[in-house]
């Protein structure tokens, strides 16, 4: 009989790299053995009966791989038995004393999740409680195996990261706290799997399919948004967040996930980088290597044409008639896994695009991927899942049109190079940007890139709708907008519109310059300023036209917007079909937030911090608040300080005391809000010692 047992949680979790989650619950990775000690009432021999049974899900079975009986006597397995566990008696056992230490190995294809464990001897059966099984990127037989140890640390174990935002000319790093090893993440992530609609429809089949990272990652992609299920986040892309939290306010995943967990009601609100950050946390917890990727000048192609139509009028860019748009940036994740389902050997193994932001449906649900990056690079748009949509995001062509009040439109030109710039992720081991654009496409404008584009078009059967790459005539007038310097919030914006007449004749140009407040999704939020003038350009002449956007003109419009778009349209008065257009996106630079840790940081001891923010404006800021967060540092969701006013050029100072509860590199995040602008972010890292 068994009188006691020991899961050796701490040494096992250390060996399985799950000790950051907990040391009092056994969490193991599949394909890797762990120790289990059974204390018998009598001496034990190798020939005595001892079998273990592990079960997961509501209807466990050997055929589905959700139940395994193993040990002595060795069971007779049928040919359709899946995911067979095994054990051997470890050399540390003392059988004469009845101390039976087993080395137990879950198979590399076991479904991930929570298992109940029982042990049977000749005379009785004992319930041994539960353990959790995760994917194992350290095991070469696991589909998520990642050979490089530095990459395994970065893409599975690192709890802090960087998400890039801004525009293609102003790339902004934003620190993100993934917090995948917070203790509650065990229950949160397993609940995400259990409340997905596929589980409700067929629980046995769903739990069985959790052996497959392709299936699991697709489920997570759907469950991070709430559009057609009880998912984690509700999205909103307009400035009305009174009944929730603004997307720009979040700086970590755990706060969101723990709000969702108790009643599985969606957390308000998310946008693409929030969806991606939360998905990355869940993927890393489950053991699927994952990284957050930002694509600048990202196309949203609603009809899989691989072409985006942009329309302009007298007030600049206007909303597209088709719903297509070019986002300043869009954020998704990449998960690392094999793709044997595509039956092309290892051709499509490796990084897979997964996008939880609800944009278009995939097989009836708001999810996207896994789409092999290798398939996107090669233009294999007939490969599942959702390769055409992602291909458009990084390599669609843009056709620009000028609309008139009467509803007619004239084509200005085609743009084959703008979409998909500076595709970025955090570099391995350091807080710098890694540009991975060449993983998604050949050099923009090269013959190879154009050949891949045509291949992609052919494979989605829409070649007849495409513009000829050589259909645009050479430009007679070159136009470009340049800024004097990076623009600080609160300052006037000084621009120069430069024109060059490359033709041999005089040209009288009607030039309209417009400034619009923009959401990062490429949707105009309001017209701020416009100017019209005529200029005559002599043959070969260069002309520079200054253009200033006053702070008073943009301040109110930019409270809830991410950037502004300045566009110029010039029409040749002698040849009305000669239309020229140029544009630039401007992001305002915020004043920095200073975060200083005073003294040494140790687990269980008081840590003091000083946070400061200086008002950059010559006017009083109202409704000010400063929020400070950090996983492993604050037991509560956040620490907040509120003041009613902050005078012109005055400094807000906040002293914070906390007691860290986790060792290692930790990140502190600060967020300043006021009536004039939202979510000025700052961060710093602190090394917490045991």
């Amino acid at each position: 009989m068994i009188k006691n047992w020991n899961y050796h949680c701490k040494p096992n979790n250390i060996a399985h790299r799950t000790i950051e989650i907990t040391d009092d619950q056994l969490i193991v990775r599949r394909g890797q053995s762990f120790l289990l000690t059974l204390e018998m009432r009598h001496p034990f021999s190798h020939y005595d009966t001892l079998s273990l049974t592990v079960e997961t899900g509501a209807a466990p079975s050997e055929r589905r791989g959700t139940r395994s009986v193993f040990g002595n006597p060795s069971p007779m397995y049928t040919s359709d038995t899946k995911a067979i566990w095994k054990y051997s008696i470890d050399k540390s056992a003392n059988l004469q004393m009845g101390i039976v230490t087993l080395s137990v190995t879950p198979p590399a294809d076991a479904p991930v999740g929570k298992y109940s464990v029982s042990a049977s001897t000749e005379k009785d059966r004992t319930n041994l409680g539960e353990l959790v099984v995760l994917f194992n990127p350290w095991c070469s037989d696991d589909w998520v195996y990642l050979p490089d140890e530095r990459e395994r640390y970065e893409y599975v174990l690192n709890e802090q990261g960087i998400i890039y935002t801004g525009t293609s000319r102003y790339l902004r790093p934003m620190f993100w706290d993934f917090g995948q090893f917070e203790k509650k993440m065990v229950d949160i992530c397993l609940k995400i799997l259990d409340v997905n609609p596929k589980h409700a429809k067929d629980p046995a089949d769903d739990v069985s399919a959790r052996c497959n990272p392709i299936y699991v990652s697709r489920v997570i992609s759907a469950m991070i948004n709430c559009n057609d299920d009880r998912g984690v986040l509700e999205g909103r892309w307009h400035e009305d967040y009174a009944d929730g939290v603004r997307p720009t306010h979040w700086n970590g995943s755990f706060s969101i996930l723990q709000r969702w967990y108790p009643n599985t009601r969606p957390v308000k609100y998310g946008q693409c980088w929030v969806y991606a950050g939360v998905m990355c946390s869940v993927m890393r917890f489950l053991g699927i290597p994952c990284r957050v990727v930002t694509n600048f000048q990202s196309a949203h192609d609603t009809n899989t044409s691989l072409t985006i139509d942009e329309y302009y009028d007298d007030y600049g860019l206007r909303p597209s008639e088709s719903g297509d748009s070019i986002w300043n940036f869009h954020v998704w994740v990449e998960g690392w896994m094999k793709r044997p389902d595509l039956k092309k050997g290892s051709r499509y193994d490796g990084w897979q695009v997964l996008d939880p932001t609800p944009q278009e449906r995939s097989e009836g649900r708001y999810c996207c991927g896994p789409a092999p990056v290798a398939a996107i690079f090669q233009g294999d748009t007939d490969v599942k899942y959702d390769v055409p949509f992602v291909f458009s995001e990084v390599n669609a062509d843009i056709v620009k049109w000028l609309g008139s009040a009467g509803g007619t439109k004239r084509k200005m030109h085609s743009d084959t190079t703008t979409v998909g710039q500076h595709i970025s992720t955090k570099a391995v081991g350091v807080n710098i940007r890694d540009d991975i654009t060449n993983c998604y496409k050949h050099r923009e404008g090269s013959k190879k890139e154009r050949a891949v584009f045509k291949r992609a078009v052919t494979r989605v059967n829409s070649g007849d709708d495409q513009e000829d790459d050589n259909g645009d005539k050479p430009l007679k007038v070159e136009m470009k907008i340049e800024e004097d310097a990076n623009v600080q919030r609160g300052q006037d914006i000084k621009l120069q519109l430069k024109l060059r007449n490359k033709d041999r004749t005089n040209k009288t140009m009607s030039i309209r310059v417009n400034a619009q407040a923009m959401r990062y999704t490429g949707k105009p939020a309001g017209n701020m300023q416009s100017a019209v003038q005529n200029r005559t350009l002599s043959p070969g002449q260069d002309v520079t036209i200054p253009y200033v956007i006053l702070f008073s003109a943009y301040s109110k419009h930019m409270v809830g917007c991410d950037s502004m778009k300045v566009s110029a349209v010039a029409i040749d008065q002698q040849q009305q079909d000669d239309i020229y257009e140029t544009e630039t996106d401007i992001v305002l630079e915020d004043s920095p937030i200073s975060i200083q840790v005073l003294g040494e940081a140790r687990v269980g001891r008081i840590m003091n911090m000083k946070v400061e923010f200086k008002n950059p404006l010559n006017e009083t800021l109202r409704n000010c608040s400063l929020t400070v967060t950090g996983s492993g540092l604050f037991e509560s969701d956040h620490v907040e300080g509120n003041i009613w006013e902050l005078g012109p050029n005055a400094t807000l100072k906040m002293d914070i005391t906390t007691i860290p509860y986790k060792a290692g590199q930790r990140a502190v995040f600060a967020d300043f809000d006021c009536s004039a602008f939202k979510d000025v972010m700052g961060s710093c890292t602190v090394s917490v010692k045991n």
Side-chain angles (χ1 to χ4, degrees), residues 328-450:
N328 286 349
F329 67 92
H330 181 52
V331 185
W332 56 69
V333 300
E334 289 177 355
W336 179 274
M337 66 195 72
K338 291 182 171 66
R339 291 300 302 271
D341 59 315
L342 301 179
K343 305 187 189 309
K344 292 284 187 180
S346 60
R347 179 176 180 179
Y348 297 120
D349 292 353
W351 290 116
Q352 316 286 321
V353 171
L354 291 146
D355 190 351
T357 300
Q359 297 182 91
E360 303 295 327
R361 282 190 168 91
S362 172
E363 295 184 343
R365 298 195 65 203
Y366 280 103
C367 65
C368 179
V373 173
I376 298 161
F377 181 80
Q378 295 157 14
D380 293 344
T381 47
D382 54 344
V383 170
K384 66 180 182 181
Y385 294 88
D386 309 306
V387 171
F389 184 76
V390 183
F391 184 92
S392 285
E393 289 181 303
V394 301
N395 212 15
D397 284 356
I398 306 172
V399 180
K400 298 193 176 188
W401 304 87
L402 181 65
S404 67
T408 60
K409 61 182 182 181
R410 290 179 287 172
K411 179 183 172 183
M412 292 189 285
H413 62 93
S414 295
D415 180 347
T416 65
T417 62
T418 292
V419 167
Q421 297 186 25
H422 306 302
I423 303 175
S424 304
T425 190
K426 177 188 175 298
V428 174
V430 290
N431 288 335
I432 61 175
R433 187 178 69 89
D434 187 7
D435 193 305
I436 57 172
T437 308
N438 62 357
C439 297
Y440 280 84
K441 59 183 179 180
H442 295 276
R443 182 176 55 83
E444 197 65 74
S446 67
K447 290 182 178 180
K448 189 66 175 176
E449 181 267 332
R450 284 290 87 190

Side-chain angles (χ1 to χ4, degrees), residues 321-583:
E321 297 169 6
S322 65
D324 290 353
S325 56
I326 305 295
W327 296 28
N328 286 349
F329 67 92
H330 181 52
V331 185
W332 56 69
V333 300
E334 289 177 355
W336 179 274
M337 66 195 72
K338 291 182 171 66
R339 291 300 302 271
D341 59 315
L342 301 179
K343 305 187 189 309
K344 292 284 187 180
S346 60
R347 179 176 180 179
Y348 297 120
D349 292 353
W351 290 116
Q352 316 286 321
V353 171
L354 291 146
D355 190 351
T357 300
Q359 297 182 91
E360 303 295 327
R361 282 190 168 91
S362 172
E363 295 184 343
R365 298 195 65 203
Y366 280 103
C367 65
C368 179
V373 173
I376 298 161
F377 181 80
Q378 295 157 14
D380 293 344
T381 47
D382 54 344
V383 170
K384 66 180 182 181
Y385 294 88
D386 309 306
V387 171
F389 184 76
V390 183
F391 184 92
S392 285
E393 289 181 303
V394 301
N395 212 15
D397 284 356
I398 306 172
V399 180
K400 298 193 176 188
W401 304 87
L402 181 65
S404 67
T408 60
K409 61 182 182 181
R410 290 179 287 172
K411 179 183 172 183
M412 292 189 285
H413 62 93
S414 295
D415 180 347
T416 65
T417 62
T418 292
V419 167
Q421 297 186 25
H422 306 302
I423 303 175
S424 304
T425 190
K426 177 188 175 298
V428 174
V430 290
N431 288 335
I432 61 175
R433 187 178 69 89
D434 187 7
D435 193 305
I436 57 172
T437 308
N438 62 357
C439 297
Y440 280 84
K441 59 183 179 180
H442 295 276
R443 182 176 55 83
E444 197 65 74
S446 67
K447 290 182 178 180
K448 189 66 175 176
E449 181 267 332
R450 284 290 87 190
V452 169
F453 180 84
K454 290 179 179 178
R455 172 185 173 88
V457 168
T458 300
R459 291 196 167 206
V460 294
N461 298 316
S462 57
D464 292 341
D465 296 331
Q466 300 305 307
E467 294 289 326
D468 187 344
D469 291 348
N470 301 314
D472 287 334
K473 299 176 182 178
L475 295 177
K476 299 175 183 177
V477 176
E478 286 184 351
M479 294 174 61
K480 186 178 183 181
I481 297 173
E482 294 182 351
E483 295 124 82
D484 283 354
N486 288 352
V487 182
Q488 298 293 320
R489 188 181 295 274
Q491 296 180 354
D492 296 342
I493 302 170
K494 298 178 181 179
L495 307 171
Q496 294 179 335
L497 174 62
K498 295 188 173 182
L499 300 94
R500 168 177 287 183
N501 182 4
K502 298 172 67 178
D503 203 18
R504 296 178 179 177
T505 61
N506 287 338
K507 292 197 172 296
T508 301
M509 310 299 294
S510 174
I511 305 165
R512 181 180 291 273
V513 183
N514 294 283
Q516 295 173 284
M518 299 292 294
R519 308 196 191 284
Y520 83 97
T521 55
K523 304 291 186 184
N527 300 311
M528 297 188 299
Q529 187 171 299
S530 63
V532 183
Q533 62 177 283
N534 292 331
R535 278 294 179 98
T536 298
L537 307 179
S538 302
Q541 183 183 11
D542 291 344
V543 171
T544 298
I545 302 173
Y547 185 73
V548 178
I549 305 172
L550 301 175
F551 171 68
S552 57
Y554 74 73
S555 58
K556 293 182 180 179
H557 294 276
M558 293 299 293
V559 173
C561 289
D562 306 274
S563 65
M564 64 179 74
K565 184 182 290 293
V566 181
S567 58
V569 175
I571 301 175
D572 188 334
Q573 295 299 287
Q574 281 78 40
Q575 300 181 51
Q576 293 285 318
D577 287 337
D578 279 0
I579 307 170
Y580 306 92
E581 181 271 344
T582 188
E583 62 188 39

Side-chain angles (χ1 to χ4, degrees), residues 20-21 153-160 177-186 189 253-254 257 280-286 631 662:
E20 285 293 320
I21 308 171
Y153 178 82
E154 182 68 55
Y155 300 137
V156 181
L157 301 181
N158 195 355
E159 291 191 82
Q160 274 88 41
D177 196 342
F178 295 112
Q180 69 267 30
F181 295 139
E182 292 291 320
K183 191 170 183 179
K184 290 181 182 178
M185 286 291 281
V186 177
C189 294
S253 306
F254 183 63
L257 289 164
C280 186
S281 300
V282 176
M283 294 275 280
R284 287 185 180 181
F285 169 82
L286 292 172
S631 69
K662 277 192 174 186

Side-chain angles (χ1 to χ4, degrees), residues 528-650:
M528 297 188 299
Q529 187 171 299
S530 63
V532 183
Q533 62 177 283
N534 292 331
R535 278 294 179 98
T536 298
L537 307 179
S538 302
Q541 183 183 11
D542 291 344
V543 171
T544 298
I545 302 173
Y547 185 73
V548 178
I549 305 172
L550 301 175
F551 171 68
S552 57
Y554 74 73
S555 58
K556 293 182 180 179
H557 294 276
M558 293 299 293
V559 173
C561 289
D562 306 274
S563 65
M564 64 179 74
K565 184 182 290 293
V566 181
S567 58
V569 175
I571 301 175
D572 188 334
Q573 295 299 287
Q574 281 78 40
Q575 300 181 51
Q576 293 285 318
D577 287 337
D578 279 0
I579 307 170
Y580 306 92
E581 181 271 344
T582 188
E583 62 188 39
T584 188
D585 294 303
I586 296 173
V587 175
L588 301 175
E589 294 287 335
D590 289 313
S591 295
I593 294 180
S594 168
I595 306 174
Q596 186 179 4
V597 177
L598 307 177
E600 189 177 63
R602 285 190 174 273
V603 171
R605 296 188 186 179
I606 291 175
M607 183 181 83
N608 295 304
M609 290 183 290
K610 184 183 292 291
V611 183
E612 296 184 358
F613 174 77
K614 183 179 180 180
N615 178 3
L617 305 184
N618 291 317
E619 60 184 54
T620 299
L621 304 180
R622 306 186 189 281
N623 299 327
C624 303
S625 69
L626 185 65
T627 305
V628 182
T629 61
S631 69
L633 300 173
F634 300 93
E635 289 282 2
S636 62
D637 195 4
H638 62 269
V639 176
E640 186 168 311
N642 295 293
I643 62 168
W644 173 244
E645 293 183 348
L646 185 62
N649 302 305

Side-chain angles (χ1 to χ4, degrees), residues 215-227:
Y215 176 87
V216 170
S217 63
R218 193 158 168 80
V219 165
I220 297 169
S221 173
M223 282 299 300
I224 297 302
N225 70 73
C226 70
N227 284 46

